[in-house]
Amino acid sequence: MFKHVISIKDFSHKDIDLVLGQADKMLKILNTKGSSDMLHGKVLASLFFEPSTRTRLSFEAAMHRLGGSVIGFSDPKGTSLKKKETTADTIRTVAAYSDIIAMRHPMDGAAKLASDVSTVPIINGGDGSHQHPTQTLLDLFTIKKELGTLNDLKIAIVGDLRYGRTVHSLVGALKQYKADFRFIAPELLKMPEEYKKGLKYDEFTELDVGDADVVYMTRIQAERFSDATDYEKVRGSYVITPKTLSTMKKKSIVMHPLPRVDEISWECDADPRCVYFNQAFYGVPTRMALIAMLLGVAK
Ligand code: CP
């Protein structure tokens, strides 16, 4: 059993199946009683050094739904980091006040560094452009709920494949389920070589999703570019519209980790294949499962 959740690379096929099985149980709790007291008296520290809506609030909702309580911050400006305290000392201190820490940080590798100094489990809620493992677990849960399987799927991943931590984590997990990838990105934002090792994939610059079972759309992230003129070259490269949906199979889905800017037009939202808001909801049972497993109340 894992002690921290840092990278999806640490999860075997069996680990993923265990988490998704627990997430199913948590979904049943949400759909019946709405909450549980299995973590009564436990404290989650929610440390967000970078903005977030879904990850932070679904972690916090997950802890409340399990009967626990939450401390933390959503903006490091209000903490002693402003007085030049190090992130390591912040983690050491917060670990003394809590039973588990969920954190997001702009620096690649920050969650691993935190796990090296923490006396309580660390869950990585996104570190720079590196990894977003809990997003991947909820993405896998969504695919399983919507399509019934994770095996042998055709997955088109579109947009920012260079800086997108959600897609770096996702391809690593889906490799274990023999996915066939279609990477669609501008030259400037192609999937880095290190994430393509061992994958079955083709690469395209045009938005042609082929016969994909899953179209995984991503935002081109202005905040990751050091040169604004590079961002201007690629912004608005791809937009999914009802016309795109008309080329897709009846049994297929469009996912997006969100937030979206303009890469999926609002007219698509009513199409039942567009499951990105279900996906955001599935963050709650998936994160309930992870918190309960790390705290040893679910196996
Ligand atoms: N998907 C995701 O990480 O969204 P937030 O940035 O809102 O947490």
Side-chain angles (χ1 to χ4, degrees), residues 171-216:
V171 296
L174 282 169
K175 179 164 71 175
Q176 304 194 46
Y177 296 86
K178 299 190 168 43
D180 183 350
F181 293 102
R182 197 176 176 91
F183 293 141
I184 302 171
E187 280 299 325
L188 200 61
L189 296 178
K190 282 175 71 175
M191 181 67 81
E193 292 302 321
E194 63 180 290
Y195 296 110
K196 292 192 288 200
K197 283 189 195 127
L199 301 184
K200 186 174 172 197
Y201 68 92
D202 288 301
E203 293 184 295
F204 302 86
T205 51
E206 296 301 314
L207 179 57
D208 173 0
V209 298
D211 60 347
D213 301 295
V214 178
V215 174
Y216 195 97

Side-chain angles (χ1 to χ4, degrees), residues 48 51-56 104 125 132 135 165-166 257-259 287:
F48 278 69
S52 167
T53 297
R54 277 145 292 273
T55 309
R56 182 174 70 83
R104 169 172 289 183
H132 196 346
Q135 178 72 44
R165 59 193 173 199
T166 60
L258 305 176
R287 290 176 171 127

Side-chain angles (χ1 to χ4, degrees), residues 208-266:
D208 173 0
V209 298
D211 60 347
D213 301 295
V214 178
V215 174
Y216 195 97
M217 195 67 187
T218 64
R219 176 175 66 95
I220 294 184
Q221 306 169 93
E223 68 273 24
R224 303 273 176 233
F225 286 78
S226 49
D227 181 345
T229 55
D230 277 346
Y231 173 65
E232 289 305 322
K233 282 183 206 152
V234 291
R235 68 182 285 200
S237 292
Y238 307 114
V239 181
I240 291 190
T241 64
K243 195 168 161 209
T244 325
L245 298 180
S246 72
T247 70
M248 288 178 58
K249 296 192 291 196
K250 204 168 164 198
K251 188 171 180 190
S252 61
I253 53 175
V254 178
M255 298 174 67
H256 191 312
L258 305 176
R260 78 173 147 184
V261 181
D262 52 10
E263 60 277 4
I264 301 177
S265 73
W266 314 113

Side-chain angles (χ1 to χ4, degrees), residues 30-60:
L30 290 173
N31 287 339
T32 52
K33 298 181 287 178
S35 64
S36 150
D37 60 2
M38 68 173 81
L39 290 182
H40 178 72
K42 298 287 183 189
V43 176
L44 168 81
S46 163
L47 308 187
F48 278 69
F49 300 81
E50 204 185 48
S52 167
T53 297
R54 277 145 292 273
T55 309
R56 182 174 70 83
L57 295 176
S58 63
F59 264 119
E60 296 183 7

